[in-house]
Each structure stands twice: as C-alpha cells, then as structure tokens.
Amino acid sequence: MTRTEHTYLGIALAAALGCQAAGPSGPPRPTEVVPPQGYEGAETLVEILGSDFHVRAVQQTDSSDSSVDAGYRASIGGVALQDVVWVDKTKLRARVPRGLPVGRHDVTVEGPFGGGSAPGAYEVLAGAPPSLTVSLTAPRSVSVGQEVVIGVTVKNAGASIVQGVRPEIGITGAGSLALVAGATPQDLAPGTSHLFASSFRAEQPGDVSLSVTVTGTDSGTGEPLPSASAAGHLLIERPAALTASLTLPEGPIPVGEFPVTITVTNTGEATAVGVLPAALADGGSTAVFSSVAPPAQPMPLASGASIAFTWSCRAVVSGSLTLTASVSGYDANDGRALTAIASASGSVPHTAAIIAEDPFADGSKFAFVAPYRGAVYVGPSGEGTGILRMQPDGTAPESQPIALSFPRDSSGNVMSSSGPWPHASIGFYGCAPAAKCGPNGESGRGLLTSVSFAGDEWLVLGGAKSGSSGDLDYVYLSRASASPLEFSYVDVSDIHQASTRGFSAAHAAGGRLYLGFPDNGGERPFGVALLTAPPTPGLDAVKGRDTLDLGLHDAFVTAYGDTFTKSNDNVAIVDAIADLGERVYFFNDVGCLVSKSSTPARKEDFRGCSPAAAAGYVRSESVAPPARQHDLEPRDKAWPRALAWNGRLYAIRNTTTGPQLWSCDPAGGADPVACDPGDWTLLAADAAYRTKLGSDTVGSASMLLATATHLYLGLDDDIRGLRVFRTRAELPGISDFTGRDGCVAGTEGCEGLGGDGLGDAAYLTRVFDAKVVTGPNGHVDLFLTAGNGSSPFRLIRMDP
C-alpha cells in the first residue's frame, strides 16, 4: 500500500471512529451473542454485539505510511473463537469451533484498547444442529381429471426438533394442477422423517415441472433453518379412450366357418392396459352362429395404437347376422375402467340346392332319405333294387346306386320268392314277374329309414303288399355299408295276421325298435316292439321273446270307442311314432296313444292322449288312410310326423280342410311326464284353425324337422309350390315363422325358405320325405325328396 493510500485509510478510519485521536472512552464492552446458542457438534458463525469496539491508527516509524490496528480476539468459555473480524465499533464476527463444552459460557473480547466480557452470553447445546434433507416423489404421468398425490419426504438429521416444517410446491409448465388438499405443517423430531402428501387435480394436459422448498424453525435456537429443495417432473395426459370397429367378411357369408374381427384403438394420450375382448353377442340375428373367443392375453395399448382380436365363428343356420362385441381395459394412470362396443351386420343366405333330378334315372316319382353311417342314403330306386349314397353335404354321389342283397328265410315261415338268392329287390308296385318283387313277394315300397338300436346304427327297409290280401311278414335291417348292401330279415309273422298290408313307421326308443304296420283286418293297425337285433342272415322273431304285440287296435278302441272302428272300415295305419320323457306315442287318424311306462307291452299299457275336443280339434276331420299302402306320402297320413323338441312334443296333422301344427307340454297336465288332452296347443292357426301360414292354397303338412335351434315346417301346395318355414319360438304364432330372406310368414309376398316350390312351383309341390343330416364336423343340413307325384322326384339339400 502506498503512503498516500495509508494516509487516506487512516483518515477514513478516523472519520468512521469519530476521530478518536484523543483515544477511546474505555475498553470494549460485549453485551450479547447472536445467535446466543450453538451446537457442540458444529461450527457456528456468530456476531458479538456491544460497544467501544475501537480501532487504533498506527504510524510506522520507518516510513511515511500509516495503518490501523483492528486486531480483536474473542473467546467463549476460555476457548478462542476463529476468524474474528471487526465489523464496526458495535459488532464483531467470529466462528465458534466444534467441541465446546455443553452449557452456558462467558464471552470475552480483547482489542487494541483492552478487553471486556459478557457473562453467560452464549450457550453450547448438545449434539448436532438440525439439518433438513428433502426428496420429492410424483407419478411419471397422470390423466386429465385424475387426482394425484405429490409426496415430499423431509428428514431431520439433527439433535433437536424442527418446528413447523412445511413444504411449498411450485408448479410450472404447459400442464396445470389444481390444489385439492395441501400438506399440514409438522414438527419433526431428531432423526425422523415425515412424508408430506399434497393432493392435486390434473386439469390441463402438458409437461409440468415441480419444485419443492421446505422450511422450519430450530427449536433449540428458535432460528429459521436454511431451506431445502428438490425438483421433479410430471406429464399430464388426456385419459386413455378406446374405440372399436367390428368387421365381418364382405358379401354373403356361407354356412360354415367365418372370422369376425374387432379392431381396438386408443384415441387418448394415456396408455390403456389390460385390453381384452369380451364375448361376441347376438344382437338380434335370425341366423344362428357359434363362436370361439380369440386366444388373447391382456394387452397394453399406447396412445394412437391399435390391436385386432378375431373370433373363429361358424354359421350354423342361415339368416341375418347382427353381432355385437365389446372390449375392456384400464387407464394406466388412474385405473379407470375403459370399454368400447362395436356392432356389425351381415347375412347368411339360405340356399336350397337340387342335388339330383331323377336321381336313379328311372323316372321314380317317390323316395325316402336317411342319414346312415356318416352318409346320406336315398331310395329305394323305382324297381326297388338300389339305394343312392352321397356325402353328408350332398357332394360326391356315387356313380351307381348301391345294390341290395336279401337272404332267404328257409325255415319256418319260408319266403315266397322263387329267387334267385340272395334276392336283389325290395319290390315295387306292379312288379312282374314275381322274381322282381320283394323277397316275400312285396309289391310296393314301404319305408326306408335309419335308427340306433341294440348299440348300433341300422338301416331299416320294408316293402308293402299292393294287393288286397296283405300278408306282409318281414322287415329288413342292415349294418353294412359295402355294395351290395346286405340286409338281415326279421320275420314278424308270429304276430302279424294275413291282412298286414305295409310298413308305415319305425322309431327306436328305450332299447327297443318300435314298428308300425297298416292293416285292414280285425286287429288293425299293428304296433310291434322289436326287442332283439337280427343276426345274419336273419331272425325268426318269437312273440314274447323277440317281439311284443302292443295291442294297439284294442288300445285305440278302449280310448276312443267305436269311432276308431268306423273310421277305419278299410285300412288303419300307424302314422307316426315318437317318444318324450320315456313315454312312447303312437299316432293314427283317430288321434294318439301314449304309453303309461317306458316299456309298454300290451294294450293296457296305453291311454288316449289326443287333444281335447274343441273347434280346433274335431277327430272326424282327420284325413282317412288311402286304400293303397305302398309308396305312402306324408299327405296320405293324418299325423305324418311327431317329434320332441325343447321338452315338448310337436306333431303335424292333416285334415280334410288343411293342416295343423300341435304342441304338447306334458308338465302342465295331470301326468307331468305324459301328454293329457288338455296339454295340447294349436300353433300358428288362422281363423279356420288351420296352420297354412298365409296361403289359402296349402293342402297338407308334409315335413316337420327340428335342429338344436329351429323347428321346420313343410307345407304341400299344389298351386304355389311346396313351402318351408322355420321358427325359434316354442309356441309360435304365424308371425313367429320366417321364410325367404327372413320374411315374416303370413305377410304379403313372403315365400318359404328357398322360395315357393324351392324355385320351381309347378314341379315341386309336395314333400315325400325329409331328414336332418349332421356331418362329421357338426354341420347340419336338411335333405328332402320332393316332386309333384307325376314326375321324377328330386333330391334337395337345404341350409338350416
């Protein structure tokens, strides 16, 4: 420092000290220390306050320069303080070192003009001073509208309580948070931590920067502590939102397999998690389908991303399709449930395909159809010598009919045919010479069907006697499938009389095969229960052992009196046989009989079960059986078909003025498992009590079939062509039946399935036989033989 500078400094100090050239008024007098406490485990910066903290100007003897003597020393409890600095004549600054004894101590100051002390002016506190550390926790992202908790963890690392600890959270950025509930100030004990939770509601999307400052007061010193701070980040997103679209294959969907896909998109900003499709639901389809849910794990879906789930579906029944599907998930931020629903429509067109016109190329006007051993059998041919076979979907018909082979019964009741043997024809009307007739002279076709009996599947075939004398003694059963198709005979002559004319019905139930035979003798008609399956070559059935005469004639007479006898002056027929609830039903033009048990054996085991007499049911209006008993058509029978469906018995009836459809619910009557007269309901009837479904020209009912989902009704109409309708209703009215393209029966222009007459109203006016055929993959089709009675029959396959 130059002499001039020293001179200036001295002048300045002299001015600051009030020009003390004459000397101070006395030694320094300390009065207090700020702060008055400190901790033994920490250095503490203090200020010593008092008066007469003077400095002295000093003139150097060996130079013209001058300086100031401002050297002060201070001690607490005899321990020298560090870094003592003179501030002015009332204040010194110093640093209290660690390790001072705990307790209150005197403060001593020494300066250029002497020393002074302040008794007990400083207290040393035990331990370390409080020290706050802070950390901030917040979720990475939240959704708009979500309430979010921001946590601030504060720790007191010192030895005394910190009072009134409070975090202050600062929020900046594009997003915004609204305070819902702030944290309450807390005192923090030494060595403890506390989580301060503040609730906010996310209001605007965007990035948010978070900062937190924590303050408090040292309970030991009463002084505010230095603040602590931390920072964090939060992203506010628009909530996750799911949208969905459902798609079906374009165009008409054929019966069979088809996919249905739901595509899900997250249109929000937050991620959707746990995204899964729910079941595919029927939204009011007239078609019937089944579905297999897609194999799927819960999936996350980021903002803007899409994912597709596909059901494997199968159209089982044609009609309109209206499908609804939903997906669910969760917002990854707040866990709120997410859903989306989508619908789609399509159609499964009904088809009625003509498989063959004049299938045997022999002009045959009539034939039966039977599902048997995984294939469809149609026949017999016009001359009774063959049966046509094809796949269950109607494809791959064999190029030649399967030949028939009948062994001769040469013992007991010897067959009448002159051979050759094995015989090759079941017979046909007008057959000549006798060798072309059946094995026992059958001169007409009786029945072809299939049954499950005695633990196996059988093809059942029988002929008829076209003359007036009757004497039909045989039916034939086959378990074969190779050509020639070998049959075993069943000789029922031990039961039959000479007037048995034909073979009209067969039904397996309860381990028995029930057979119905037309007759014009005194014991008409015949109902037989076959108990024993025929071996090869055949069975000479013994009454009471292999067969039972059910005594149907006497049972009908007992139930209905001489009405039965008078109505059957010529021929009595067993029109149809059915079972429901372990009871067996036999139908005739006078009505029905029901067994009193599951194993009827005689006439006393039956009682009458016809609908109660009323305007809708007049027994005498039933169509009478024709004189001929060969090639019988459904229209020739009063009750051509009966079946069980959904716990009810359904039957079609032909009257002299049109058809009827009846249903019985046995649970409603006196016998809860068998139909009583009051259990029957006439279905879909018009004002004249006839089931014509809107067409006055319908003459008879010829088809009644049931699948798992629908009941199918076929009506003969010589003017408009045969008509087929279906219903899902258990007690349908006219409007519950639907026809072509799902139209409602009885409405203007509503044709039957496949169109009236299946597209050829002049040719296809009546149904001869119809069966439900189930393929190996579960696919169901309806097969029917139809025609007009004067031209070759046609084989038709219909989608269900």
Side-chain angles (χ1 to χ4, degrees), residues 111-393:
F113 299 103
S117 65
Y122 188 78
E123 184 180 11
V124 178
L125 303 176
S131 173
L132 298 181
T133 60
V134 61
S135 63
L136 184 147
T137 56
R140 184 192 66 81
S141 59
V142 297
S143 295
V144 172
Q146 178 182 349
E147 188 169 304
V148 57
V149 174
I150 296 176
V152 177
T153 301
V154 182
K155 182 176 181 180
N156 177 5
S160 62
I161 297 172
V162 180
Q163 297 173 324
V165 178
R166 175 197 295 270
E168 297 290 340
I169 299 175
I171 298 171
T172 59
S176 67
L177 293 169
L179 180 64
V180 175
T184 303
Q186 298 287 327
D187 292 346
L188 202 57
T192 63
S193 298
H194 182 75
L195 174 63
F196 294 86
S198 298
S199 296
F200 295 83
R201 184 176 56 254
E203 295 197 335
Q204 294 293 330
D207 287 325
V208 171
S209 293
L210 302 172
S211 61
V212 60
T213 301
V214 178
T215 58
T217 301
D218 185 342
S219 63
T221 65
E223 297 294 323
L225 294 178
S227 62
S229 63
H233 179 267
L234 176 65
L235 175 63
I236 301 177
E237 301 173 312
R238 287 183 296 109
L242 300 181
T243 61
S245 62
L246 196 68
T247 55
L248 280 67
E250 294 184 1
I253 300 171
V255 170
E257 304 292 335
F258 70 98
V260 176
T261 300
I262 188 168
T263 302
V264 188
T265 301
N266 181 4
T267 58
E269 290 181 338
T271 298
V273 294
V275 178
L276 270 179
L280 191 65
D282 188 342
S285 304
T286 60
V288 177
F289 70 98
S290 62
S291 64
V292 177
Q297 297 293 324
M299 299 293 292
L301 201 57
S303 175
S306 298
I307 190 171
F309 301 95
T310 300
W311 285 268
S312 176
C313 298
R314 180 177 183 81
V316 179
V317 177
S318 58
S320 64
L321 276 175
T322 302
L323 306 182
T324 300
S326 62
V327 291
S328 61
Y330 301 91
D331 188 302
N333 290 331
D334 59 11
R336 78 183 72 179
L338 307 172
T339 59
I341 299 174
S343 298
S345 298
S347 65
V348 182
H350 188 275
T351 60
I354 297 176
I355 302 299
E357 301 182 24
D358 191 10
F360 293 101
D362 61 1
S364 180
K365 303 176 181 62
F366 170 90
F368 298 97
V369 60
Y372 173 65
R373 297 194 178 276
V376 178
Y377 286 66
V378 180
S381 61
E383 293 191 352
T385 58
I387 294 177
L388 189 66
R389 180 168 62 191
M390 65 198 66
Q391 293 300 306
D393 60 357

Side-chain angles (χ1 to χ4, degrees), residues 9 13 17 53-59 66-73 86 111-113:
L9 176 59
L13 287 171
L17 296 173
F53 296 160
H54 296 292
V55 296
R56 180 175 59 191
V58 179
Q59 178 70 43
S66 63
S67 63
V68 174
D69 182 1
Y72 275 80
R73 297 180 300 281
W86 175 84
F113 299 103

Side-chain angles (χ1 to χ4, degrees), residues 2 238 370 457 575 665 768:
T2 65
R238 287 183 296 109
E457 190 174 6
D575 289 340
D665 180 6
F768 302 127

Side-chain angles (χ1 to χ4, degrees), residues 283 331 334 436 542 558 569 686 707 772:
D331 188 302
D334 59 11
K436 289 192 175 183
V542 176
T558 299
D569 291 336
D686 56 22
T707 65
V772 174

Side-chain angles (χ1 to χ4, degrees), residues 72-138:
Y72 275 80
R73 297 180 300 281
S75 65
I76 293 177
V79 177
L81 304 186
Q82 300 173 348
D83 302 326
V84 179
V85 176
W86 175 84
V87 176
D88 58 32
K89 66 180 179 178
T90 64
K91 184 188 300 182
L92 301 177
R93 285 198 184 104
R95 185 179 303 277
V96 181
R98 291 186 181 90
L100 267 69
V102 174
R104 187 166 292 280
H105 300 280
D106 297 341
V107 176
T108 300
V109 174
E110 293 182 1
F113 299 103
S117 65
Y122 188 78
E123 184 180 11
V124 178
L125 303 176
S131 173
L132 298 181
T133 60
V134 61
S135 63
L136 184 147
T137 56

